[in-house]
């Protein structure tokens, strides 16, 4: 399993805690063995899940969405 972590910040670049974050993919699964997973950010603004590649050869794409993240939140994949 591969950890996938995103950082949610506000317009002032400050972490947003308790923000609902949705992960989805086409071919793999997340920690609940489904191709969609939701969680909340922690006090540092991070939301984390674990991704497992599917059996279909080729690329998979992970989509990350969060409520209220239109103009006031930035979502970045953490390294």
């Amino acid at each position: 399993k591969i950890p996938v972590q995103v950082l949610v910040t506000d317009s002032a670049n400050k972490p947003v805690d308790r923000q609902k974050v949705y992960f989805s993919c086409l071919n793999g699964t997340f920690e609940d063995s489904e191709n969609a997973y939701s969680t909340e950010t922690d006090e540092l603004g991070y939301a984390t899940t674990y991704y497992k590649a599917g059996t279909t050869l080729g690329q998979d794409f992970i989509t990350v969405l969060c409520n209220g993240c239109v103009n006031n939140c930035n979502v970045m994949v953490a390294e």
Side-chain angles (χ1 to χ4, degrees):
K1 293 182 180 182
I2 300 168
V4 177
Q5 187 176 62
V6 296
L7 173 62
V8 179
T9 59
D10 63 16
S11 60
N13 210 27
K14 294 183 180 178
V16 178
D17 67 336
R18 296 189 329 240
Q19 175 68 52
K20 191 77 150 181
V21 176
Y22 301 89
F23 297 87
S24 65
C25 62
L26 298 175
N27 298 317
T29 59
F30 296 103
E31 54 193 275
D32 60 357
S33 298
E34 298 291 333
N35 65 352
Y37 181 77
S38 65
T39 188
E40 288 187 350
T41 56
D42 62 17
E43 64 277 357
L44 300 176
Y46 288 99
T48 306
T49 188
Y50 293 89
Y51 168 81
K52 182 179 177 185
T55 57
T56 303
L57 293 178
Q59 293 180 335
D60 197 1
F61 296 92
I62 297 173
T63 301
V64 181
L65 302 170
C66 66
N67 289 336
C69 293
V70 178
N71 293 319
N72 63 341
C73 293
N74 302 305
V75 179
M76 307 178 329
V77 176
E79 294 184 43

